[in-house]
Amino acid sequence: FWQASEEVEEIKADPEAEPVKKAPDQAKRNLKRIKIDTFVGMGFSNLVAFFIMLTTAVALHSHGVTSIDTSAQAANALRPIAGKFAFALFAIGIIGTGLLALPVLAGSAAYAMAGAFKWRNSLELKPSLAKAFYSVIILATLGGVALGFTSLDPIKALFWSAVINGVISAPIMMVAMLLATNSTIMGQFVIGRTLKLFGWLATGLMVIPVLVMLYTLIW
């Protein structure tokens, strides 16, 4: 949501820039930039995810720890690797993750709501000119900070937030594919056969686990 909104803001900021649908000659440069951005971003995020799983397997599973219910357990599980610095290492990791996640999630939520309700939205605007937009950022940030003072366990919160993200991603991907394959919306930039095939395949791989999870929860 944030990235899409930033693309619109860049067009507004550059007097010579126009949406590629109206100015196809600008498409090659812009699509190349977006492609590089997407490949680099997804590459690093998947690399980080892989090493999280790898280090968890080495530090926890190989030492017989197969179930983590609290953050204290996770910190203790790191003791064979990090020794007396286990708690400090885990705390730094949690704090660092929060500092990275809070602004991104708050900003994305604000842009998503602003787009849905057609509010003025931009981090370039003063708060007085986009009150609803900035209110969402403030409330989301304060809400995230407040969770740290509750009895809610961060491990379970991370788990369930991942589950919710997975469930929400399925319909979002379906809508994205319907938009990307619609020539009325995309014009000459409608996605090709190969991208359409892999796009729907990826969407299906997201939808199936969601349906299976809901089925097992209900029955």
Side-chain angles (χ1 to χ4, degrees):
F1 291 110
W2 196 339
Q3 185 179 9
S5 298
E6 284 296 326
E7 292 295 331
V8 175
E9 286 187 29
E10 285 189 21
I11 293 171
K12 292 178 179 178
D14 185 353
E16 296 181 2
E18 290 188 62
V20 293
K21 189 177 177 181
K22 295 181 180 178
D25 56 305
Q26 297 183 14
K28 187 176 181 180
R29 175 172 55 84
N30 281 294
L31 292 178
K32 183 180 179 181
R33 172 179 57 79
I34 293 171
K35 186 176 182 179
I36 293 171
D37 182 39
T38 303
F39 271 98
V40 172
M42 292 304 297
F44 272 107
S45 66
N46 279 281
L47 196 64
V48 169
F50 169 74
F51 279 106
I52 287 173
M53 291 185 283
L54 181 64
T55 51
T56 302
V58 172
L60 305 182
H61 191 273
S62 63
H63 289 85
V65 181
T66 57
S67 178
I68 298 291
D69 297 316
T70 67
S71 52
Q73 282 182 322
N76 272 320
L78 291 174
R79 196 175 291 278
I81 304 296
K84 63 181 181 179
F85 297 107
F87 280 95
L89 180 66
F90 187 79
I92 291 168
I94 287 289
I95 292 168
T97 302
L99 290 173
L100 283 170
L102 264 178
V104 174
L105 294 174
S108 298
Y111 273 111
M113 290 192 69
F117 296 104
K118 298 182 179 180
W119 298 336
R120 292 191 69 183
N121 63 84
S122 174
L123 293 172
E124 298 290 329
L125 293 173
K126 292 181 179 180
S128 59
L129 299 176
K131 293 179 181 178
F133 172 72
Y134 279 101
S135 294
V136 174
I137 293 178
I138 292 168
L139 289 172
T141 304
L142 291 177
V145 172
L147 287 174
F149 296 94
T150 66
S151 58
L152 184 69
D153 186 81
I155 301 297
K156 291 181 179 178
L158 285 169
F159 173 80
W160 284 109
S161 65
V163 171
I164 293 168
N165 277 331
V167 172
I168 293 172
S169 294
I172 289 176
M173 288 176 70
M174 290 178 69
V175 172
M177 287 303 300
L178 290 171
L179 292 173
T181 54
N182 190 318
S183 57
T184 304
I185 295 170
M186 298 295 292
Q188 61 179 296
F189 299 104
V190 64
I191 60 174
R193 189 175 298 175
T194 303
L195 194 55
K196 188 186 296 184
L197 173 65
F198 282 103
W200 280 118
L201 180 63
T203 304
L205 290 173
M206 286 296 293
V207 172
I208 291 170
V210 171
L211 294 177
V212 171
M213 183 192 72
L214 294 175
Y215 176 83
T216 54
L217 286 174
I218 295 171
W219 282 282

PDB file of all heavy atoms in Angstrom, residues 169-196:
ATOM      1  N   SER A 169      -3.553 -11.933   2.979  1.00  0.00           N
ATOM      2  CA  SER A 169      -2.803 -11.885   1.725  1.00  0.00           C
ATOM      3  C   SER A 169      -3.533 -12.576   0.578  1.00  0.00           C
ATOM      4  O   SER A 169      -3.428 -12.144  -0.575  1.00  0.00           O
ATOM      5  CB  SER A 169      -1.425 -12.533   1.907  1.00  0.00           C
ATOM      6  OG  SER A 169      -0.631 -11.782   2.788  1.00  0.00           O
ATOM      7  N   ALA A 170      -4.262 -13.644   0.891  1.00  0.00           N
ATOM      8  CA  ALA A 170      -4.935 -14.412  -0.162  1.00  0.00           C
ATOM      9  C   ALA A 170      -5.935 -13.560  -0.963  1.00  0.00           C
ATOM     10  O   ALA A 170      -5.828 -13.474  -2.194  1.00  0.00           O
ATOM     11  CB  ALA A 170      -5.607 -15.646   0.439  1.00  0.00           C
ATOM     12  N   PRO A 171      -6.922 -12.899  -0.323  1.00  0.00           N
ATOM     13  CA  PRO A 171      -7.839 -12.068  -1.110  1.00  0.00           C
ATOM     14  C   PRO A 171      -7.156 -10.863  -1.755  1.00  0.00           C
ATOM     15  O   PRO A 171      -7.544 -10.450  -2.857  1.00  0.00           O
ATOM     16  CB  PRO A 171      -8.886 -11.617  -0.081  1.00  0.00           C
ATOM     17  CG  PRO A 171      -8.272 -11.824   1.252  1.00  0.00           C
ATOM     18  CD  PRO A 171      -7.335 -12.971   1.093  1.00  0.00           C
ATOM     19  N   ILE A 172      -6.121 -10.305  -1.085  1.00  0.00           N
ATOM     20  CA  ILE A 172      -5.404  -9.172  -1.685  1.00  0.00           C
ATOM     21  C   ILE A 172      -4.715  -9.600  -2.978  1.00  0.00           C
ATOM     22  O   ILE A 172      -4.740  -8.894  -3.990  1.00  0.00           O
ATOM     23  CB  ILE A 172      -4.369  -8.590  -0.691  1.00  0.00           C
ATOM     24  CG1 ILE A 172      -5.090  -7.857   0.440  1.00  0.00           C
ATOM     25  CG2 ILE A 172      -3.409  -7.633  -1.401  1.00  0.00           C
ATOM     26  CD1 ILE A 172      -4.172  -7.318   1.521  1.00  0.00           C
ATOM     27  N   MET A 173      -4.103 -10.790  -2.972  1.00  0.00           N
ATOM     28  CA  MET A 173      -3.448 -11.309  -4.175  1.00  0.00           C
ATOM     29  C   MET A 173      -4.457 -11.585  -5.276  1.00  0.00           C
ATOM     30  O   MET A 173      -4.190 -11.337  -6.457  1.00  0.00           O
ATOM     31  CB  MET A 173      -2.665 -12.578  -3.837  1.00  0.00           C
ATOM     32  CG  MET A 173      -1.412 -12.312  -3.017  1.00  0.00           C
ATOM     33  SD  MET A 173      -0.547 -13.818  -2.507  1.00  0.00           S
ATOM     34  CE  MET A 173       0.108 -14.379  -4.089  1.00  0.00           C
ATOM     35  N   MET A 174      -5.639 -12.070  -4.901  1.00  0.00           N
ATOM     36  CA  MET A 174      -6.690 -12.328  -5.897  1.00  0.00           C
ATOM     37  C   MET A 174      -7.123 -11.027  -6.557  1.00  0.00           C
ATOM     38  O   MET A 174      -7.257 -10.950  -7.792  1.00  0.00           O
ATOM     39  CB  MET A 174      -7.885 -13.018  -5.235  1.00  0.00           C
ATOM     40  CG  MET A 174      -7.624 -14.444  -4.802  1.00  0.00           C
ATOM     41  SD  MET A 174      -9.036 -15.219  -3.962  1.00  0.00           S
ATOM     42  CE  MET A 174     -10.185 -15.364  -5.333  1.00  0.00           C
ATOM     43  N   VAL A 175      -7.332  -9.995  -5.758  1.00  0.00           N
ATOM     44  CA  VAL A 175      -7.734  -8.689  -6.301  1.00  0.00           C
ATOM     45  C   VAL A 175      -6.628  -8.123  -7.193  1.00  0.00           C
ATOM     46  O   VAL A 175      -6.889  -7.591  -8.278  1.00  0.00           O
ATOM     47  CB  VAL A 175      -8.067  -7.710  -5.158  1.00  0.00           C
ATOM     48  CG1 VAL A 175      -8.281  -6.302  -5.706  1.00  0.00           C
ATOM     49  CG2 VAL A 175      -9.312  -8.165  -4.413  1.00  0.00           C
ATOM     50  N   ALA A 176      -5.379  -8.246  -6.738  1.00  0.00           N
ATOM     51  CA  ALA A 176      -4.235  -7.749  -7.515  1.00  0.00           C
ATOM     52  C   ALA A 176      -4.171  -8.440  -8.882  1.00  0.00           C
ATOM     53  O   ALA A 176      -3.921  -7.792  -9.909  1.00  0.00           O
ATOM     54  CB  ALA A 176      -2.938  -7.962  -6.745  1.00  0.00           C
ATOM     55  N   MET A 177      -4.402  -9.746  -8.904  1.00  0.00           N
ATOM     56  CA  MET A 177      -4.372 -10.487 -10.173  1.00  0.00           C
ATOM     57  C   MET A 177      -5.526 -10.093 -11.079  1.00  0.00           C
ATOM     58  O   MET A 177      -5.358  -9.963 -12.301  1.00  0.00           O
ATOM     59  CB  MET A 177      -4.408 -12.000  -9.902  1.00  0.00           C
ATOM     60  CG  MET A 177      -3.110 -12.576  -9.359  1.00  0.00           C
ATOM     61  SD  MET A 177      -1.699 -12.258 -10.453  1.00  0.00           S
ATOM     62  CE  MET A 177      -2.233 -13.081 -11.964  1.00  0.00           C
ATOM     63  N   LEU A 178      -6.695  -9.883 -10.497  1.00  0.00           N
ATOM     64  CA  LEU A 178      -7.850  -9.454 -11.307  1.00  0.00           C
ATOM     65  C   LEU A 178      -7.597  -8.075 -11.926  1.00  0.00           C
ATOM     66  O   LEU A 178      -7.977  -7.818 -13.071  1.00  0.00           O
ATOM     67  CB  LEU A 178      -9.114  -9.434 -10.441  1.00  0.00           C
ATOM     68  CG  LEU A 178      -9.644 -10.809 -10.000  1.00  0.00           C
ATOM     69  CD1 LEU A 178     -10.768 -10.640  -8.978  1.00  0.00           C
ATOM     70  CD2 LEU A 178     -10.139 -11.609 -11.202  1.00  0.00           C
ATOM     71  N   LEU A 179      -6.953  -7.195 -11.168  1.00  0.00           N
ATOM     72  CA  LEU A 179      -6.622  -5.862 -11.684  1.00  0.00           C
ATOM     73  C   LEU A 179      -5.553  -5.953 -12.769  1.00  0.00           C
ATOM     74  O   LEU A 179      -5.656  -5.302 -13.809  1.00  0.00           O
ATOM     75  CB  LEU A 179      -6.123  -4.962 -10.544  1.00  0.00           C
ATOM     76  CG  LEU A 179      -7.135  -4.561  -9.474  1.00  0.00           C
ATOM     77  CD1 LEU A 179      -6.439  -3.819  -8.341  1.00  0.00           C
ATOM     78  CD2 LEU A 179      -8.235  -3.679 -10.065  1.00  0.00           C
ATOM     79  N   ALA A 180      -4.532  -6.773 -12.526  1.00  0.00           N
ATOM     80  CA  ALA A 180      -3.394  -6.869 -13.446  1.00  0.00           C
ATOM     81  C   ALA A 180      -3.766  -7.514 -14.773  1.00  0.00           C
ATOM     82  O   ALA A 180      -3.100  -7.288 -15.788  1.00  0.00           O
ATOM     83  CB  ALA A 180      -2.264  -7.651 -12.795  1.00  0.00           C
ATOM     84  N   THR A 181      -4.835  -8.304 -14.779  1.00  0.00           N
ATOM     85  CA  THR A 181      -5.261  -8.985 -16.010  1.00  0.00           C
ATOM     86  C   THR A 181      -6.414  -8.267 -16.705  1.00  0.00           C
ATOM     87  O   THR A 181      -6.917  -8.738 -17.714  1.00  0.00           O
ATOM     88  CB  THR A 181      -5.688 -10.434 -15.703  1.00  0.00           C
ATOM     89  OG1 THR A 181      -6.689 -10.435 -14.673  1.00  0.00           O
ATOM     90  CG2 THR A 181      -4.512 -11.264 -15.220  1.00  0.00           C
ATOM     91  N   ASN A 182      -6.825  -7.118 -16.146  1.00  0.00           N
ATOM     92  CA  ASN A 182      -7.949  -6.360 -16.705  1.00  0.00           C
ATOM     93  C   ASN A 182      -7.408  -5.286 -17.660  1.00  0.00           C
ATOM     94  O   ASN A 182      -6.789  -4.315 -17.239  1.00  0.00           O
ATOM     95  CB  ASN A 182      -8.749  -5.713 -15.571  1.00  0.00           C
ATOM     96  CG  ASN A 182     -10.052  -5.115 -16.057  1.00  0.00           C
ATOM     97  OD1 ASN A 182     -10.108  -4.493 -17.104  1.00  0.00           O
ATOM     98  ND2 ASN A 182     -11.112  -5.303 -15.271  1.00  0.00           N
ATOM     99  N   SER A 183      -7.671  -5.448 -18.953  1.00  0.00           N
ATOM    100  CA  SER A 183      -7.150  -4.510 -19.956  1.00  0.00           C
ATOM    101  C   SER A 183      -7.787  -3.128 -19.846  1.00  0.00           C
ATOM    102  O   SER A 183      -7.181  -2.127 -20.224  1.00  0.00           O
ATOM    103  CB  SER A 183      -7.370  -5.071 -21.360  1.00  0.00           C
ATOM    104  OG  SER A 183      -8.749  -5.332 -21.580  1.00  0.00           O
ATOM    105  N   THR A 184      -9.002  -3.054 -19.299  1.00  0.00           N
ATOM    106  CA  THR A 184      -9.658  -1.759 -19.120  1.00  0.00           C
ATOM    107  C   THR A 184      -8.892  -0.901 -18.120  1.00  0.00           C
ATOM    108  O   THR A 184      -8.768   0.315 -18.286  1.00  0.00           O
ATOM    109  CB  THR A 184     -11.109  -1.947 -18.623  1.00  0.00           C
ATOM    110  OG1 THR A 184     -11.803  -2.796 -19.537  1.00  0.00           O
ATOM    111  CG2 THR A 184     -11.835  -0.616 -18.531  1.00  0.00           C
ATOM    112  N   ILE A 185      -8.370  -1.545 -17.089  1.00  0.00           N
ATOM    113  CA  ILE A 185      -7.610  -0.840 -16.055  1.00  0.00           C
ATOM    114  C   ILE A 185      -6.147  -0.666 -16.463  1.00  0.00           C
ATOM    115  O   ILE A 185      -5.577   0.412 -16.321  1.00  0.00           O
ATOM    116  CB  ILE A 185      -7.702  -1.603 -14.715  1.00  0.00           C
ATOM    117  CG1 ILE A 185      -9.143  -1.610 -14.206  1.00  0.00           C
ATOM    118  CG2 ILE A 185      -6.773  -0.979 -13.668  1.00  0.00           C
ATOM    119  CD1 ILE A 185      -9.384  -2.526 -13.039  1.00  0.00           C
ATOM    120  N   MET A 186      -5.546  -1.730 -16.992  1.00  0.00           N
ATOM    121  CA  MET A 186      -4.108  -1.732 -17.262  1.00  0.00           C
ATOM    122  C   MET A 186      -3.742  -1.213 -18.649  1.00  0.00           C
ATOM    123  O   MET A 186      -2.578  -0.868 -18.888  1.00  0.00           O
ATOM    124  CB  MET A 186      -3.557  -3.157 -17.103  1.00  0.00           C
ATOM    125  CG  MET A 186      -3.709  -3.734 -15.713  1.00  0.00           C
ATOM    126  SD  MET A 186      -2.746  -2.849 -14.476  1.00  0.00           S
ATOM    127  CE  MET A 186      -1.091  -3.285 -14.993  1.00  0.00           C
ATOM    128  N   GLY A 187      -4.719  -1.190 -19.567  1.00  0.00           N
ATOM    129  CA  GLY A 187      -4.406  -0.765 -20.925  1.00  0.00           C
ATOM    130  C   GLY A 187      -3.431  -1.730 -21.581  1.00  0.00           C
ATOM    131  O   GLY A 187      -3.580  -2.957 -21.466  1.00  0.00           O
ATOM    132  N   GLN A 188      -2.403  -1.207 -22.241  1.00  0.00           N
ATOM    133  CA  GLN A 188      -1.429  -2.060 -22.923  1.00  0.00           C
ATOM    134  C   GLN A 188      -0.466  -2.736 -21.942  1.00  0.00           C
ATOM    135  O   GLN A 188       0.332  -3.585 -22.341  1.00  0.00           O
ATOM    136  CB  GLN A 188      -0.616  -1.236 -23.928  1.00  0.00           C
ATOM    137  CG  GLN A 188       0.198  -0.109 -23.308  1.00  0.00           C
ATOM    138  CD  GLN A 188       1.003   0.643 -24.348  1.00  0.00           C
ATOM    139  OE1 GLN A 188       1.889   0.072 -24.976  1.00  0.00           O
ATOM    140  NE2 GLN A 188       0.696   1.911 -24.542  1.00  0.00           N
ATOM    141  N   PHE A 189      -0.541  -2.382 -20.661  1.00  0.00           N
ATOM    142  CA  PHE A 189       0.373  -2.933 -19.669  1.00  0.00           C
ATOM    143  C   PHE A 189      -0.225  -4.113 -18.907  1.00  0.00           C
ATOM    144  O   PHE A 189       0.257  -4.474 -17.832  1.00  0.00           O
ATOM    145  CB  PHE A 189       0.819  -1.844 -18.694  1.00  0.00           C
ATOM    146  CG  PHE A 189       1.552  -0.734 -19.372  1.00  0.00           C
ATOM    147  CD1 PHE A 189       0.935   0.479 -19.601  1.00  0.00           C
ATOM    148  CD2 PHE A 189       2.851  -0.919 -19.822  1.00  0.00           C
ATOM    149  CE1 PHE A 189       1.608   1.508 -20.240  1.00  0.00           C
ATOM    150  CE2 PHE A 189       3.533   0.101 -20.468  1.00  0.00           C
ATOM    151  CZ  PHE A 189       2.911   1.326 -20.684  1.00  0.00           C
ATOM    152  N   VAL A 190      -1.274  -4.699 -19.455  1.00  0.00           N
ATOM    153  CA  VAL A 190      -1.838  -5.900 -18.850  1.00  0.00           C
ATOM    154  C   VAL A 190      -0.756  -6.981 -18.849  1.00  0.00           C
ATOM    155  O   VAL A 190       0.043  -7.086 -19.776  1.00  0.00           O
ATOM    156  CB  VAL A 190      -3.092  -6.361 -19.630  1.00  0.00           C
ATOM    157  CG1 VAL A 190      -2.744  -6.769 -21.061  1.00  0.00           C
ATOM    158  CG2 VAL A 190      -3.789  -7.499 -18.913  1.00  0.00           C
ATOM    159  N   ILE A 191      -0.670  -7.774 -17.781  1.00  0.00           N
ATOM    160  CA  ILE A 191       0.427  -8.734 -17.643  1.00  0.00           C
ATOM    161  C   ILE A 191       0.324  -9.849 -18.686  1.00  0.00           C
ATOM    162  O   ILE A 191      -0.772 -10.209 -19.132  1.00  0.00           O
ATOM    163  CB  ILE A 191       0.495  -9.339 -16.225  1.00  0.00           C
ATOM    164  CG1 ILE A 191      -0.790 -10.081 -15.873  1.00  0.00           C
ATOM    165  CG2 ILE A 191       0.799  -8.274 -15.197  1.00  0.00           C
ATOM    166  CD1 ILE A 191      -0.715 -10.829 -14.547  1.00  0.00           C
ATOM    167  N   GLY A 192       1.479 -10.398 -19.060  1.00  0.00           N
ATOM    168  CA  GLY A 192       1.539 -11.437 -20.073  1.00  0.00           C
ATOM    169  C   GLY A 192       1.137 -12.803 -19.564  1.00  0.00           C
ATOM    170  O   GLY A 192       0.856 -12.991 -18.374  1.00  0.00           O
ATOM    171  N   ARG A 193       1.151 -13.774 -20.495  1.00  0.00           N
ATOM    172  CA  ARG A 193       0.681 -15.126 -20.185  1.00  0.00           C
ATOM    173  C   ARG A 193       1.511 -15.805 -19.089  1.00  0.00           C
ATOM    174  O   ARG A 193       0.974 -16.418 -18.178  1.00  0.00           O
ATOM    175  CB  ARG A 193       0.710 -15.968 -21.467  1.00  0.00           C
ATOM    176  CG  ARG A 193       0.050 -17.322 -21.326  1.00  0.00           C
ATOM    177  CD  ARG A 193       0.010 -18.021 -22.671  1.00  0.00           C
ATOM    178  NE  ARG A 193      -0.783 -17.277 -23.641  1.00  0.00           N
ATOM    179  CZ  ARG A 193      -0.898 -17.630 -24.923  1.00  0.00           C
ATOM    180  NH1 ARG A 193      -0.260 -18.697 -25.376  1.00  0.00           N
ATOM    181  NH2 ARG A 193      -1.637 -16.912 -25.737  1.00  0.00           N
ATOM    182  N   THR A 194       2.843 -15.662 -19.167  1.00  0.00           N
ATOM    183  CA  THR A 194       3.717 -16.322 -18.190  1.00  0.00           C
ATOM    184  C   THR A 194       3.519 -15.756 -16.790  1.00  0.00           C
ATOM    185  O   THR A 194       3.368 -16.495 -15.813  1.00  0.00           O
ATOM    186  CB  THR A 194       5.195 -16.162 -18.601  1.00  0.00           C
ATOM    187  OG1 THR A 194       5.375 -16.695 -19.917  1.00  0.00           O
ATOM    188  CG2 THR A 194       6.111 -16.887 -17.619  1.00  0.00           C
ATOM    189  N   LEU A 195       3.508 -14.427 -16.699  1.00  0.00           N
ATOM    190  CA  LEU A 195       3.314 -13.786 -15.398  1.00  0.00           C
ATOM    191  C   LEU A 195       1.919 -14.074 -14.853  1.00  0.00           C
ATOM    192  O   LEU A 195       1.733 -14.242 -13.649  1.00  0.00           O
ATOM    193  CB  LEU A 195       3.521 -12.269 -15.531  1.00  0.00           C
ATOM    194  CG  LEU A 195       3.694 -11.483 -14.229  1.00  0.00           C
ATOM    195  CD1 LEU A 195       4.816 -12.047 -13.379  1.00  0.00           C
ATOM    196  CD2 LEU A 195       3.957 -10.009 -14.521  1.00  0.00           C
ATOM    197  N   LYS A 196       0.954 -14.143 -15.752  1.00  0.00           N
ATOM    198  CA  LYS A 196      -0.420 -14.474 -15.334  1.00  0.00           C
ATOM    199  C   LYS A 196      -0.474 -15.890 -14.740  1.00  0.00           C
ATOM    200  O   LYS A 196      -1.094 -16.124 -13.701  1.00  0.00           O
ATOM    201  CB  LYS A 196      -1.363 -14.373 -16.537  1.00  0.00           C
ATOM    202  CG  LYS A 196      -2.837 -14.498 -16.188  1.00  0.00           C
ATOM    203  CD  LYS A 196      -3.699 -14.538 -17.452  1.00  0.00           C
ATOM    204  CE  LYS A 196      -3.606 -13.260 -18.244  1.00  0.00           C
ATOM    205  NZ  LYS A 196      -4.523 -13.265 -19.414  1.00  0.00           N
TER     206      LYS A 196
END
